[in-house]
């Protein structure tokens, strides 16, 4: 079996941590049970490009239980948990191509390795495999039934492809499921981002001015959790409605250029480029921390930092200190890559449970509708959201009300009312 990981001897620790995560993933466990019985992926090859974490391990193990011949590479050079990669290879015979800290060339070589698997289904996080196949690996196009995409950023890319008529197989937008973005993006990113910043720096958050760029689902989670830890939170936005929401949620809102000289900790999760830029660095306080929680490492203008300060000093793992000409020091966390996965362990299993149950069911949907779908981006069927939420609540021991016959009648009628 071909694979490329750091060290296979790390496998025993990885297995314990995979099992630890599994305890918090009741919905995915249920899907895995169903897959074991039905074997929906028998005879199919699945190539995953996702963060190689304990949670992803439980997802690929579930796909394997459903009969899939699955391989996995990393969707970010810094997010791989090497013990998990080792366990997948040695305990589950799942080929993994991922090493934490791999350079860009190795990262792309690993993407090519999962494409060489000639997938029927792609499971993407950031759409690197999907776009590489469309641009450079058209040789594997014929086998492909479709793909699933995990993130907001990936879906933006896919919608742009579909709009240009460039998308050549159907893609399921897992992120658009309510049981994904309302929980994973908000509570997952909120907690894991603060976890990453704290693990990287051991800073006290209480009393700090935290500037959160954006007020999408990820950013609002970060703002909420920073506030909960006692920070004074400023939100920046480019959308009037979201900015207004942030104001009414109790945050100060202002342009980044005004927040730049005030902030102690800057966190970006916008999906856009140069959110923290040269003219912001010029006015930031000595000692400011810069962190990114968006998918790509483009939100902090690293090139400008290097031009302004030369090579940084690595003062702690995941903290690079840039000294500007006037002596101010700016600290870039996790090389500007997803701080929650670089310095911490990503979102906790309890939220990935719903996201990855969605991923698994989206793959099954593609298989079940093979040949019937158009080459466009599909949202998840609403029933899937209801099912995932019902099983999750059930696992938490929480019951809800049901409509009475009379209430159903009332909702269905247009004649009743004042
Ligand atoms: N994205 C964010 N957190 C994650 C995790 N724990 N596993 C996989 N992908 C993630």
């Amino acid at each position: 079996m071909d694979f490329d990981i750091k060290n296979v001897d790390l496998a025993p620790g990885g297995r314990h941590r995979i099992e630890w995560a599994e305890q918090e993933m009741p919905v995915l466990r249920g899907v895995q049970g169903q897959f074991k019985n039905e074997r929906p992926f028998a005879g199919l090859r699945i190539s995953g490009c996702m963060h190689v974490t304990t949670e992803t391990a439980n997802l690929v193990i579930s796909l394997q239980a459903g009969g899939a011949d699955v391989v996995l590479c990393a969707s970010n050079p810094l997010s791989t948990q090497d013990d998990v990669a080792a366990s997948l290879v040695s305990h589950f015979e799942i080929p993994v191509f991922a090493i934490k800290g791999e350079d860009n060339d190795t990262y792309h070589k690993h993407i090519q390795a999962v494409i060489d698997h000639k997938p029927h289904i792609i499971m993407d996080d950031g759409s690197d495999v999907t776009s590489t196949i469309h641009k450079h690996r058209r040789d594997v196009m014929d086998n492909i039934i479709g793909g699933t995409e995990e993130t907001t950023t990936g879906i933006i890319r896919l919608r742009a492809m579909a709009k240009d008529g460039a998308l050549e197989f159907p893609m399921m937008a897992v992120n658009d499921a309510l049981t994904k973005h309302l929980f994973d993006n908000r509570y997952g990113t909120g907690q894991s981002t603060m976890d990453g910043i704290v693990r990287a720096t051991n800073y006290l958050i209480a009393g700090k001015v935290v500037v959160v760029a954006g007020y999408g689902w990820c950013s609002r989670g970060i703002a909420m959790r920073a506030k909960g830890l006692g920070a004074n939170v400023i939100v920046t936005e480019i959308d009037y409605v979201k900015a207004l929401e942030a104001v009414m949620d109790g945050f100060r809102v202002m342009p980044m250029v005004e927040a730049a000289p005030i902030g102690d900790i800057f966190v970006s999760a916008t999906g856009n480029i140069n959110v923290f830029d040269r003219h912001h660095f010029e006015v930031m306080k000595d000692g400011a921390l810069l962190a990114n929680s968006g998918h790509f490492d483009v939100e902090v203008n690293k090139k400008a930092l290097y031009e302004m300060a030369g090579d940084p000093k690595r003062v702690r793992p995941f903290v690079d200190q840039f000294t500007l000409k006037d002596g101010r020091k700016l600290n870039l966390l996790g090389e500007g890559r997803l701080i929650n996965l670089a310095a911490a362990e990503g979102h906790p299993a309890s939220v990935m449970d719903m996201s990855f149950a969605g991923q698994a069911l989206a793959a099954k949907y593609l298989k079940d509708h093979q040949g019937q779908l158009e080459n466009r981006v599909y949202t998840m069927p609403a029933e899937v959201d209801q099912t995932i939420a019902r099983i999750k609540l059930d696992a938490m021991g929480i019951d809800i009300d049901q409509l009475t016959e009379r209430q159903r009648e009332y909702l269905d009628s247009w004649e009743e009312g004042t």
Side-chain angles (χ1 to χ4, degrees), residues 370-399:
Q370 183 173 1
Q372 298 162 31
L373 302 175
E374 293 164 31
N375 297 339
R376 62 177 177 86
V377 180
Y378 282 84
T379 45
M380 300 277 285
E383 319 81 80
V384 174
D385 263 334
Q386 288 297 321
T387 307
I388 291 175
R390 179 176 49 71
I391 301 171
K392 189 73 175 173
L393 282 168
D394 194 38
M396 295 163 97
I398 296 167
D399 204 358

Side-chain angles (χ1 to χ4, degrees), residues 25 50-57 75 79 81 125 150-151 180 184 188-189 192 295 338 340-341 345-349 351-352 355-356:
M25 304 184 86
M50 317 191 81
H51 303 296
V52 180
T53 64
T54 54
E55 294 76 25
T56 303
S75 58
S79 62
Q81 298 172 5
D125 185 338
E150 171 80 1
T151 60
K180 200 283 186 180
D184 165 321
T189 310
S192 63
H295 185 80
L338 285 159
N340 58 337
L341 283 138
E345 294 171 65
H347 304 351
V351 285
M352 294 317 292
S355 313
F356 284 170

